[in-house]
Each structure stands twice: as structure tokens, then as C-alpha cells.
Amino acid sequence: MSLSKLENNLLLFFQEHRGKSFKANDLASQFNYQGSKNYKKLVKALAFLEHIGEIEMVGQGNFRVAQNNNKLVGTFRANAKGFGFISVDPEKPDYFLPPGKVGQAMDGDTVEIRVLREVDPQTGKGSEAEVVRVVERAMDQVVGEFVAFNQDQRQDTGYIGYLIPRLDSGQSLRMMVDSKGLHPVTGSICLAEITQYPSPDNPGTLVGLITKEIGHKDQPGVDILEILYQFGIPNEFPEDVLEQIKEFPDVIDPAQVQGRHDLRDQLIITIDGASAKDLDDAISLEKNSDGSYELGVHIADVSHYVQKGSPIDQEAYQRGTSVYLTDRVVPMLPQKLSNGLCSLNPKEDRLTITCQMTINTQGKVTAFDIYLSVINSSYRMTYRDVNEILAGDAKLRQDYQEIVPMLEDMAALHKILEKMRLKRGALNFDTKEAEIIVDEEGQPQDIVVRQRQTGERMIESFMLAANETVAGYFMAKQLPMVYRIHEQPDEEKMLRFAEFASSLGVPLGGHAATIKPKQLQETLKKVQGQDFESVLAMIMLRSMQQAKYSIEPLGHYGLATKEYTHFTSPIRRYPDLMVHRLIHFYLARPSKKEIYQETSYLAGAADQASKMERRAVDAERETDALKKAEFMADKIGQQFPGHIASVTSFGMFVELANTVEGLISLDKLSDDYYQFIPSHYMLVGERTSNVFKIGQKVVIEVEKVDISQRQIDFKLVDYESQKADQAALDLAQGQKRLGRRPKQNTSGNHHKPGKSATTSKGRAKNKAKANQGKPKFAKSGQAKGKPKTKQKVRKNKTAKFSKSFKMTKRGK
């Protein structure tokens, strides 16, 4: 069904004012459709909407949205397998759209749906809906690889070729390319404007024209540029920003120091990763005679240079954050600021905002001050050198003897702060972080796991303390502010986590709707050192809400604090820049009217920053997936140990030691039918009672790598044998059958359907046969013995992999 522009606007208006009714005359004024001719068009549109059941007439000529049309408007999220979900209300479960019910919707579109089956209030599942129409398109351009038509194909179709769009959702769409735009060669990565969207006559097909050639797919660096364009991340600064940046000096003007606390004679240092160039935080520390500490956190005063409403500020607002993509950084601010004038480089005067804190031996901030300052950093330290100094490296301790006592005091204060956070219930999800090492052309050479040591952790502790202190100050003053919030976990997700924890024999205390972080922390403590500790922590992390920015001080659940903001990274995060701007503003003691006028934009800016943060995370994740696929491309046929990281209804993802993940599709598990138990993240074999669950050790073979789709497929070679207990078998009853029918036994000893194979004795016999010769895993997780499956474990290749994927200690 296609609506006219007027009909569509009317319907949106009614839906936004659900429950209210309007007269035709009022609507004519609202939509500027007065006058005889226009009024007739309006009445005709209202009559049509009433005819199709979208609106209804009530009382004396009043119209309102139909109360029983069972239609809703929400955001569509596509899945590569043809189904999707509709998010209508963030407080309610999503609606499921099965394949064939998504209409012509594309990922991110605002769509109207008809609810076919409501959500089961007991489980939060079981809903079903279909797309009625697309209300608003989310995309007007796409990025993809161009394939040129030959002369005959051009004549037959009227197009010069087609584009294979790169869509984050994995939706299978193709764009026919019009001749009006650029004419690239096959293999070019291009940006294309959409001129026609999918329709019932041409489902899954777009039409558009090429507006920009990014480069050929085989050119070094084009793959990363493609991702930037895919997510709409600008990689160049506009002309007005470049012109403004020319006005900035290379060094600070002495006049700018006036009115600031002069800290240039203090011992102040920066500690960061070796490759970091945007140094926005520096530290000073002194120990008092009573055992307390004077901690100074000095942050680059970016707001002094980036004035509100300026071209640079507007560009930073749109970007929201710097984006880190393997071999490059896409900065929020031009390099003259991010790496130069604002970066706290050693032996250079720099304008800063200081949060000075007195912290007692229990980790409590007993006094603090926030003020404008100027510093001159004495040392530019790396995490690696700091960690080596603290570990006792004699040469480094001699080279940096002036700051060794300060570094040791920093480590001691960090332990105090960490103990304080843990005592109040802060959660510590120390997940593995991969570092992808690439050559000059961007080709991955190795993947190592970063090890966070004392140097990284103590800087984190100091930044957390400063962020809490600044937030607490403005909360106490009840002044408008931007906060970093992390809300209470969703009750439904927490119930699922509790069920999973119980399946491991770890009961969860408290109520799902009001559970405290301290209770979750205690749960993690119970399993400390056990094989499934990391599994439980991972599922707990997945059950958390997503952190975001808000003007409401709703607290940070994961840190177990009511007071938190982002103050410490204004070079790379726009919210921190806003916080600095507010500090400047409030130091001038504004009136209530001035405060209202100055802070009215904060809510929209906080929402924008949250969206841009998610965009950056998605782009970084996509880049990692691309480089990991490239790294594994020449390893097809090789076998490696790993563990099951996730179990779904369509297969299981296996993570290797270097964090690379691949999918073992269910259609590759041909030995049995498998039931998926969502509450346990488990697959259970119907006949064999074999279990596949998160954390289970396996040996896989790399079967296929699709770099363009960022997909890695594994096949199962061997696994740590586990059997379902009675509780899991009971849960599996009635679950959806998955996988393929087992192959016929041609030995002549097969069971006839319905006979002994289905009896308890027959099942036991089958289990015994299935387990015959199956290797057992040693405590180290390495496979022993010969697997019964046809794909044998080649120990030499596994050993080679283990060596090449050794874990190394690298600074952040």
C-alpha cells in the first residue's frame, strides 16, 4: 500500500497524538491546507485513511487514529537470514518479523507494523508482526563494490552495472546502477545515492547512481575507507574547519596563563600507550604525613580553543568521538589541536583543567578543588616502561630515578582505590582485548592479546576518581550537567542470567528487578578460579544495559556509584568537552536565566554523543572482523584449539586463543538432531544427549573465510565430551529440532525407527557407541587420542598455531 505525502503526514500526525481527536478544520490549519481546493484534498485524504482503517470518525466530525487497528510504528532491525525485529518501546520486548513479513523494509527504517501475535507476558517472547509500510527510510546512500555490465547487459537492463552494498545488518540487497552518475570499473569501492528503494515488483533491489569512487578494492587502505563511508564517518575535515585551524598558534600565548593556577614547577607526568599522540591527561601525586595522598588529575583544556558554535565545534559535535581503526585514528579534532596545541606533550606549556583531590587510606576523597591551570609535563611515560619500573627493572629505575618514588606511590594509591570500588560493589569485567598488528599496507601480520597491568589500571583508577569527583560536585550544586550513566539491568535479561547461573550450580541472590551490583560481584567471587568463571562473567556482561550520556544523574551501575561523568578525555570525546565548557561557564557565576539559556542544548547533545559512540564502536568492531578474516584467509584447512563463545539456534561461535571467532553452523552437526535451550545457551542432542555449551573446549578446522562478508566458518574436529543431565534433557523436551538427520548406518547394525533406538536401553547402547573411541580433554585443554570423526586432529598444525598465536605483553 502506497500513501500520498499528505496521507502519510496525516497518519504520522494521528499516530503521534494517539488518543486525541481533531476536526478537519483544525487539521487544515495544522497542515496549511486552507482554501477550497486544498481543503477538498485534505477531506479526500482523511476519507481514504478512514476507508483503509487507519483512522476513525468519532463524535461530530472528529478524527483520530483507529483504536483497534493493531498497528504500531517502530524501528526495523534486519537480520541476514531474512527475519527482523521491530523496536516500538524501549521498555517493552521487540516484535519478531519472520521471513516473508518484512516487506520492503531496510535496516534502520521507521516502519508501520501490524501485530499478528502479541508477546507472551510470562516469557516476553512469542510475538509476531508484519510490515505494513515504510514510514521513513534510514539510508539515502550506500557503500559497496561495483560490478560492470558488458555492452549487451547494458542494453538489456538499461543500467551500467550493479553495486553489492556493504550493510552492517548483512541484508542481501543489490543496487542497479544508473548511467547518470560516475562510471567506475569492476572492483571499485563506491559511494552511491539511492534513487529507488525495494518495491513489491523488485524486492531486494535498489536503484542508484555512483557519486564517489573511494578506490579499488585491492588498493592498500581502501578496505578501511570503505568502512568509514559505510558508517558515515567523515575522514576529512571541511574547508571552514581547515581555515579556522590556521588561526591557532603553535604555542600558547603567555597572556592566556593569566588567572590560572601555575603548576609548571610541579612534577607532573603523562602515562599512555607508546603509539598515543593525543595525550589529554597528566598526573601529579604527593603522599601526606598522615598516609593520605594529594592526587592531581590535569586534563587538556580543549574548551579554551574550541568555542561553542565555531566551525571546529560543529564538526566535533557531528563526529562525537575519535574513532580507532586498527592502523589509523580518525580524530574528533584536527591534528594541530589533538596532537599539538592540546596534547600534553613533555617540556611544553599547556592549558589544563585540574581536579585536585585529597584521598585517605580508605580511598575516600576527603577534599577536592576544580580549577583552571597551566602545566609543563616533565616526562612522557609509556605503560610498558612504567610496568617494567614497578616490576624492578634496574636500568629503567636508574633512567627515571626522579619519578620512581612517585610511581610506587601511584601503584599503592591505585590498590587503595581499587579495593574501595570493589568494597562498594563495582563490577570488574576484564575482557580480552586484541591488538591486530598490520604491515605498512594494512595487511594483518599477527593478533596478540593485550595484557592490562598495573600501569594501565592505576591510570584508569585516577581517571575514575576524577570523573566521580567532578560529577559529585555538580550534583551537589544541582547545576545542569552531562553525566555518563549505566542503568539498572533489564529484569528479563537478569532473569535469564539467573537461570543460566543456576544451571551452573550458582544461585543468584536478590530480585531480578532490583539486584545490586554487589550481589553480582558476590556471584563472580563464588566461581573465581573455576573453569566456567569467564563464561559466567561474559553472560553477566551481556545482561547489562548499554552505558550512555544523559543530563539525568542516574548513576553508573557497573561502577556502583551514583556520581559519574566523563571529564578526562576532551580531545577525543565530545561529552568531556561539554563538561569542560560547563566548568568554565559555572566558574563565571552565571544567573539562573543565563544557566537556562546556556544549557538548553545539553539533552540533545548527550543523545547525539551516545549515537556517535555506538557508531564508532560498530565501525571498530567491523574493522576488527575484517582484519581477523584477512588474517585467517591463508589458514583454511588448519586446525586449532578454542572454546565455544556463544550458542544460538543456528549454530555456535568458537573463539580461538587470539580472540578470532568463527561459526560452526548447525547443518555441520550431522550426527544428531539438536535442541537449543536458550536459558542455558546450550545445544542438546536428541539421540546421543551430546551437549554443546558456552565455555566448552573444542578443536576446529578453518573451513571457509569470506573477507568481503567478514565471515569465518569452522567445522568441528573434536570436542570435550559432555552429556546433558536430566534437568537439561527435561528442558530440551518440546524445543525446536535443529540440525540434520543422522546419516544411515550402512553396517547392517542400524536400529529401526520406533524400536530399540527409542528405548532407554537402546539410547544407552547408542550413547556407548557414540562415545566409543572419543578422545578426552586433559586439564590443559589439549585433545588426546584419535577422534572418531572423519576430520582427524593434525597435532603438528595445532602446535604451529599455538606457537604463532602466543600471548604477548603489550601496552595499551
Side-chain angles (χ1 to χ4, degrees), residues 168 227 230-231 233 323 325 546 611-625:
D168 188 41
I227 290 172
Q230 177 185 341
F231 288 95
I233 298 172
V323 184
L325 303 177
Q546 193 171 45
K611 289 176 181 176
M612 294 306 97
E613 179 189 33
R614 288 193 291 273
R615 180 179 73 170
V617 168
D618 289 342
E620 290 165 10
R621 187 181 294 121
E622 183 81 358
T623 304
D624 283 353

Side-chain angles (χ1 to χ4, degrees), residues 192-206:
E193 178 188 332
I194 301 173
T195 57
Q196 291 182 34
Y197 291 90
S199 66
D201 295 332
N202 291 295
T205 302
L206 301 162

Side-chain angles (χ1 to χ4, degrees), residues 97-281:
L97 281 76
K101 300 291 186 182
V102 301
Q104 312 311 319
M106 295 169 57
D107 189 58
D109 287 349
T110 300
V111 300
E112 182 183 31
I113 61 168
R114 178 182 293 108
V115 178
L116 304 176
R117 188 167 68 242
E118 281 290 353
V119 173
D120 184 335
Q122 299 299 318
T123 65
K125 301 177 183 179
S127 68
E128 189 173 316
E130 65 178 353
V131 171
V132 175
R133 66 186 179 95
V134 176
V135 175
E136 184 179 359
R137 293 290 183 180
M139 290 186 291
D140 57 12
Q141 58 184 18
V142 295
V143 177
E145 180 182 339
F146 178 73
V147 179
F149 283 155
N150 60 35
Q151 191 62 39
D152 290 341
Q153 290 172 317
R154 291 186 182 205
Q155 289 179 352
D156 290 343
T157 64
Y159 299 109
I160 64 170
Y162 64 90
L163 196 76
I164 306 169
R166 300 280 196 257
L167 300 174
D168 188 41
S169 64
Q171 254 185 310
S172 181
L173 295 172
R174 189 168 78 157
M175 172 184 273
M176 306 305 292
V177 178
D178 197 290
S179 62
K180 293 177 183 177
L182 300 176
H183 290 216
V185 298
T186 293
S188 293
I189 303 301
C190 304
L191 181 67
E193 178 188 332
I194 301 173
T195 57
Q196 291 182 34
Y197 291 90
S199 66
D201 295 332
N202 291 295
T205 302
L206 301 162
V207 177
L209 51 90
I210 305 295
T211 58
K212 184 179 181 62
E213 289 186 61
I214 299 169
H216 195 274
K217 65 178 182 179
D218 296 329
Q219 284 179 257
V222 169
D223 52 359
I224 303 294
L225 284 176
E226 178 185 351
I227 290 172
L228 291 175
Y229 278 99
Q230 177 185 341
F231 288 95
I233 298 172
N235 66 309
E236 295 176 350
F237 286 98
E239 193 61 36
D240 59 348
V241 171
L242 297 177
E243 285 300 316
Q244 187 189 357
I245 203 68
K246 292 177 183 177
E247 302 171 5
F248 291 106
D250 295 322
V251 295
I252 67 172
D253 186 337
Q256 297 171 341
V257 177
Q258 299 299 317
R260 291 175 177 266
H261 290 253
D262 193 339
L263 309 179
R264 286 176 289 186
D265 61 345
Q266 290 192 15
L267 182 59
I268 296 175
I269 66 174
T270 63
I271 304 175
D272 218 312
S275 62
K277 295 181 175 61
D278 50 351
L279 311 178
D280 46 16
D281 59 87

Side-chain angles (χ1 to χ4, degrees), residues 458-518:
M458 70 185 190
I459 292 299
E460 180 182 54
S461 283
F462 301 158
M463 298 304 111
L464 291 174
N467 286 333
E468 287 185 47
T469 300
V470 171
Y473 171 76
F474 287 102
M475 284 178 65
K477 294 286 186 180
Q478 296 186 323
L479 293 168
M481 188 63 172
V482 175
Y483 297 95
R484 178 68 168 178
I485 66 168
H486 186 217
E487 297 171 275
Q488 180 82 22
D490 176 73
E491 182 180 4
E492 182 189 346
K493 289 183 178 179
M494 195 48 56
L495 282 170
R496 289 204 298 267
F497 171 71
E499 192 170 357
F500 175 72
S502 295
S503 73
L504 297 175
V506 188
L508 193 63
H511 298 284
T514 58
I515 192 165
K516 304 297 182 186
K518 184 72 173 177

Side-chain angles (χ1 to χ4, degrees), residues 288-585:
N288 299 320
S289 58
D290 63 355
S292 64
Y293 296 86
E294 293 294 329
L295 172 66
V297 175
H298 316 279
I299 308 299
D301 188 1
V302 179
S303 61
H304 175 84
Y305 301 101
V306 183
Q307 297 296 310
K308 184 181 175 184
S310 67
I312 291 178
D313 178 56
Q314 292 177 44
E315 183 68 14
Y317 176 89
Q318 293 301 325
R319 295 184 178 218
T321 180
S322 296
V323 184
Y324 297 83
L325 303 177
T326 307
D327 62 343
R328 73 192 70 188
V329 178
V330 182
M332 182 180 78
L333 300 172
Q335 288 187 346
K336 188 170 184 178
L337 289 179
S338 61
N339 296 355
L341 198 54
C342 291
S343 185
L344 307 183
N345 300 323
K347 313 302 181 184
E348 297 280 356
D349 290 354
R350 289 291 183 259
L351 304 182
T352 49
I353 297 181
T354 292
C355 179
Q356 190 76 31
M357 296 163 280
T358 303
I359 303 175
N360 66 18
T361 54
Q362 284 73 50
K364 183 179 179 181
V365 176
T366 57
F368 68 90
D369 196 5
I370 301 167
Y371 53 84
L372 306 184
S373 56
V374 56
I375 69 165
N376 189 300
S377 174
S378 302
Y379 293 90
R380 192 274 197 241
M381 301 299 296
T382 65
Y383 290 131
R384 179 187 177 279
D385 284 352
V386 169
N387 288 326
E388 293 296 334
I389 288 170
L390 294 174
D393 186 287
K395 184 178 184 309
L396 286 172
R397 290 176 74 87
Q398 177 63 35
D399 292 344
Y400 296 103
Q401 57 183 307
E402 182 184 11
I403 61 171
V404 167
M406 178 193 282
L407 292 175
E408 290 177 337
D409 285 344
M410 285 182 177
L413 176 58
H414 154 63
K415 290 180 181 177
I416 290 171
L417 291 170
E418 186 177 54
K419 183 178 179 181
M420 175 274 297
R421 292 197 305 273
L422 291 173
K423 185 177 180 180
R424 75 186 184 197
L427 300 171
N428 181 20
F429 297 110
D430 203 3
T431 55
K432 290 193 294 184
E433 185 179 354
E435 179 182 3
I436 303 172
I437 301 169
V438 298
D439 61 20
E440 292 181 356
E441 295 189 343
Q443 291 301 308
Q445 302 300 301
D446 199 3
I447 302 175
V448 296
V449 178
R450 289 194 181 103
Q451 300 295 302
R452 294 178 72 251
Q453 299 181 70
T454 303
E456 292 90 336
R457 293 175 188 276
M458 70 185 190
I459 292 299
E460 180 182 54
S461 283
F462 301 158
M463 298 304 111
L464 291 174
N467 286 333
E468 287 185 47
T469 300
V470 171
Y473 171 76
F474 287 102
M475 284 178 65
K477 294 286 186 180
Q478 296 186 323
L479 293 168
M481 188 63 172
V482 175
Y483 297 95
R484 178 68 168 178
I485 66 168
H486 186 217
E487 297 171 275
Q488 180 82 22
D490 176 73
E491 182 180 4
E492 182 189 346
K493 289 183 178 179
M494 195 48 56
L495 282 170
R496 289 204 298 267
F497 171 71
E499 192 170 357
F500 175 72
S502 295
S503 73
L504 297 175
V506 188
L508 193 63
H511 298 284
T514 58
I515 192 165
K516 304 297 182 186
K518 184 72 173 177
Q519 293 170 303
L520 294 179
Q521 185 195 81
E522 291 299 323
T523 301
L524 290 176
K525 279 184 182 178
K526 292 176 185 176
V527 298
Q528 198 166 8
Q530 297 189 42
D531 289 343
F532 53 83
E533 177 187 0
S534 61
V535 174
L536 195 70
M538 178 174 58
I539 300 300
M540 184 186 292
L541 181 59
R542 292 178 187 175
S543 304
M544 296 287 108
Q545 297 266 42
Q546 193 171 45
K548 60 184 179 181
Y549 298 101
S550 173
I551 60 172
E552 299 294 332
L554 302 178
H556 196 293
Y557 185 87
L559 294 172
T561 178
K562 296 178 181 179
E563 307 160 345
Y564 199 66
T565 188
H566 270 171
F567 157 77
T568 55
S569 296
I571 291 178
R572 63 184 179 88
R573 291 189 307 226
Y574 196 80
D576 304 56
L577 175 56
M578 287 194 287
V579 169
H580 280 223
R581 197 171 280 154
L582 289 169
I583 291 172
H584 273 275
F585 177 65

